[in-house]
Every structure is written in C-alpha cells, then in structure tokens.
Amino acid sequence: MFDIQQLLKEELKDSYSIEDGILCFSPKSTAESAQDKYESIADNIDFYTCLAYTDVHTQNETKSVYSRINDVLLKEFKTNSNPLFVLDVGCGVGRTLYDASTLFDNDYFFGFDYSLNMLRRAKQILLDGEQLQIDLSSSGLAPFEVIGKHLPNVHLMQGDALKLPFKSHSFDVVINTFLIDRVGDVRLVLEQIIAVLKPGGLFVLTSPLNFQKTENWKYGNSEILIELLKEFGIEELVSEDNITHTEILDARGNSKVWNALMVYGKKAFP
Ligand SMILES: C[S@@+](CC[C@H](N)C(=O)[O-])C[C@H]1O[C@@H](n2cnc3c(N)ncnc32)[C@H](O)[C@@H]1O
C-alpha cells in the first residue's frame, strides 16, 4: 500500500495541513489568494472547467496537448511492470490527469498546484465522482455536465512548484502543461521539477508560446528550451512545434488560439 510519507522530504513529513481532503504544503494568506487569478477564478471557474473537460476548446485542433501526452505515455510505458509514480506540476482542474490516470489505472498520479480552488474542483471531478452542472450563462453558452470519476490512484496536493515537498528522484514521470509560461523564473522552476524525477524517468512539458514575462519569451523557441533542459540532465529530447490550442471564449464566436510547443525526454543516469 502506498504511503505519501515515502515521497516527502524528511523535514516536511507531517508538516502539512489538510483542507477539504487536500494536503497543503504552501497555504496562501487571504491577501495572496485574493491576488492570485487562479483562486479568484472561483467566479469564472465553471468556464475554466468547461475548457478543461469538453471538446469545445479543441474542436479546431488536430490533436490536443493532452492526447499528445497520453500518446507519449502509452509509447513509453505500455508494458511497464512496476507501478509508475507520475507527478503533474500545475495540474489545475486536472485535465492531464483525467485521461492519463484512467489509462494507467495501476499507477500513482499526483496532481500538484498552487491554487486550492483549482484543486477543489479537480477533487470534485477526479475523486468525489460528482456530476457537475457547469453554468456558462455569463459567456452565453449552454450549461453542460461533467461526469465525475472515483480515481483511487489520484492524489492532489497544494504547494508551490518552487518549493516542491518531494525528495529528489521520487517520480518516474514528471509532467507540466501550460505552467512555465506564467512563472517568474523558468530556469528555477524547471530545475526544481527535474530534481524530483528519477534517473531514466520521463519529463514532459507543454507550453503556449506567449510567455507572460518578456525575459522568458526566448523559451518559446524550442531549441533554447532544449538547451536548458540538457543542462538539467534531460536527454533524448523530442520537440513538437506548431501545436495550436483553440479555446472558445463565448457563444458569439470569439475564441483564442494559443500557439504551443511540447518537449519531452529522459533524465540521464549520473
Ligand atoms: C493555465 S493553468 C494550467 C492547468 C493545467 N496544467 C492544464 O493544462 O489544464 C496554470 C496552473 O498553474 C498553476 N500554477 C501557477 N504557478 C504555480 C506554482 N508556482 N506552483 C504550482 N502551480 C502553479 C496555477 O494555479 C494553474 O492552476
């Protein structure tokens, strides 16, 4: 039986709080929560959940980044014998976890995010098995239902990617989707994330190209991102450029198209 303590840094064992069944390692103050758009998305969270869990946002795409990730996982681990430990950093409402953890139902999936409200929604959908009525009336779209699951192999945790609570070399797979475009220091976040990956483990990153900070725009070039990942010991790197990710904004036909990239590779043995 799996015990979360075996993944945690020695000094953090038993030092977390639990909110609504979610382990919290870096709880935010009320002021911090009010400033974080992912917490205040509460008003807007139905729309975010819609983007995450319907085809609405992918109808113009050939393949979503989430199904591309599943393809890579299936290619690498179709026949794995030992259970995999998979970490999704910045998991949001859980759109990467939803399909991947169902495909690999004997493996352990960990969704880690800074926003407790995003995780609360992920929990309703992935763990509590709730049938959620999503209200999209403020965008002029019809309501729809998300079919919740009971996925005993999914574990959700709140914390900051810059202060990961996990021991080095804990995970067989580390994924991050649409995270590094919005963090301050891409190099530091990637270094932290890669540190918790086992040697030989698989690292998968997808990101839109419009990095929020000017100094990070260079990482929209996959060659520059690959050079950085090599510095942190990721090899056998493969990149997929020219991915488009379309999100419907409202019933009046407005949408946003994100140009995105995907990079994946294996962590070298020391
Ligand atoms: C655009 S959403 C993407 C969510 C999810 N990966 C997906 O593809 O649907 C970005 C997520 O990153 C989370 N995030 C931002 N900064 C973070 C940090 N420093 N540590 C952990 N999560 C963070 C946000 O709370 C948000 O849920």
Side-chain angles (χ1 to χ4, degrees):
M1 179 60 191
F2 156 74
D3 174 6
I4 185 68
Q5 301 285 339
Q6 74 195 54
L7 292 179
L8 300 180
K9 286 180 180 157
E10 216 47 55
E11 66 274 20
L12 292 177
K13 286 188 174 167
D14 298 318
S15 73
Y16 46 84
S17 57
I18 300 183
E19 289 278 341
D20 293 336
I22 297 166
L23 273 51
C24 299
F25 291 93
S26 307
K28 292 180 192 141
S29 66
T30 313
E32 281 171 315
S33 286
Q35 280 169 6
D36 184 334
K37 78 171 185 174
Y38 291 104
E39 301 291 5
S40 61
I41 214 169
D43 283 349
N44 210 351
I45 202 155
D46 273 358
F47 193 70
Y48 199 87
T49 305
C50 162
L51 296 180
Y53 286 101
T54 67
D55 286 340
V56 170
H57 67 298
T58 55
Q59 65 186 5
N60 296 322
E61 289 180 278
T62 46
K63 205 169 234 236
S64 76
V65 293
Y66 308 100
S67 56
R68 285 169 196 262
I69 292 171
N70 288 334
D71 289 349
V72 175
L73 294 178
L74 284 169
K75 192 176 85 188
E76 293 292 333
F77 301 110
K78 216 171 2 189
T79 56
N80 66 303
S81 45
N82 295 324
L84 297 171
F85 283 72
V86 183
L87 174 67
D88 181 13
V89 184
C91 65
V93 295
R95 61 180 151 176
T96 310
L97 298 169
Y98 190 75
D99 287 327
S101 61
T102 312
L103 282 172
F104 292 86
D105 58 354
N106 288 319
D107 301 302
Y108 297 103
F109 284 78
F110 299 84
F112 186 89
D113 200 283
Y114 203 19
S115 162
L116 187 56
N117 279 335
M118 297 293 265
L119 290 167
R120 284 184 171 123
R121 178 63 99 202
K123 180 172 175 285
Q124 288 174 321
I125 300 168
L126 300 169
L127 302 180
D128 299 342
E130 293 188 9
Q131 310 287 306
L132 292 175
Q133 279 296 327
I134 306 297
D135 177 4
L136 301 172
S137 50
S138 61
S139 309
L141 294 167
F144 86 105
E145 199 173 70
V146 176
I147 315 293
K149 297 188 186 185
H150 287 290
L151 295 166
N153 59 335
V154 173
H155 305 266
L156 299 171
M157 301 177 190
Q158 184 277 341
D160 185 350
L162 281 174
K163 294 185 212 150
L164 288 180
F166 310 111
K167 287 182 202 153
S168 297
H169 306 168
S170 288
F171 295 95
D172 301 284
V173 183
V174 173
I175 301 170
N176 61 106
T177 58
F178 288 51
L179 171 73
I180 63 162
D181 57 302
R182 59 206 70 217
V183 299
D185 192 331
V186 173
R187 166 179 274 276
L188 210 54
V189 166
L190 289 177
E191 188 177 18
Q192 295 271 315
I193 293 178
I194 291 168
V196 302
L197 183 62
K198 290 178 187 169
L202 177 71
F203 176 79
V204 188
L205 175 158
T206 73
S207 177
L209 305 188
N210 62 321
F211 285 74
Q212 289 176 359
K213 293 200 178 278
T214 324
E215 62 269 29
N216 292 336
W217 286 357
K218 56 181 183 271
Y219 297 117
N221 177 336
S222 58
E223 286 174 20
I224 292 181
L225 197 51
I226 281 175
E227 283 312 307
L228 181 62
L229 294 173
K230 281 185 187 161
E231 266 187 55
F232 297 136
I234 305 296
E235 53 185 26
E236 299 175 42
L237 281 147
V238 177
S239 73
E240 292 183 22
D241 300 319
N242 307 319
I243 298 175
T244 55
H245 184 86
T246 302
E247 291 184 342
I248 302 296
L249 293 179
D250 56 41
R252 291 163 287 281
N254 296 308
S255 62
K256 249 185 201 172
V257 180
W258 304 109
N259 291 320
L261 57 74
M262 173 170 173
V263 182
Y264 57 93
K266 300 257 184 78
K267 187 166 174 179
F269 286 89

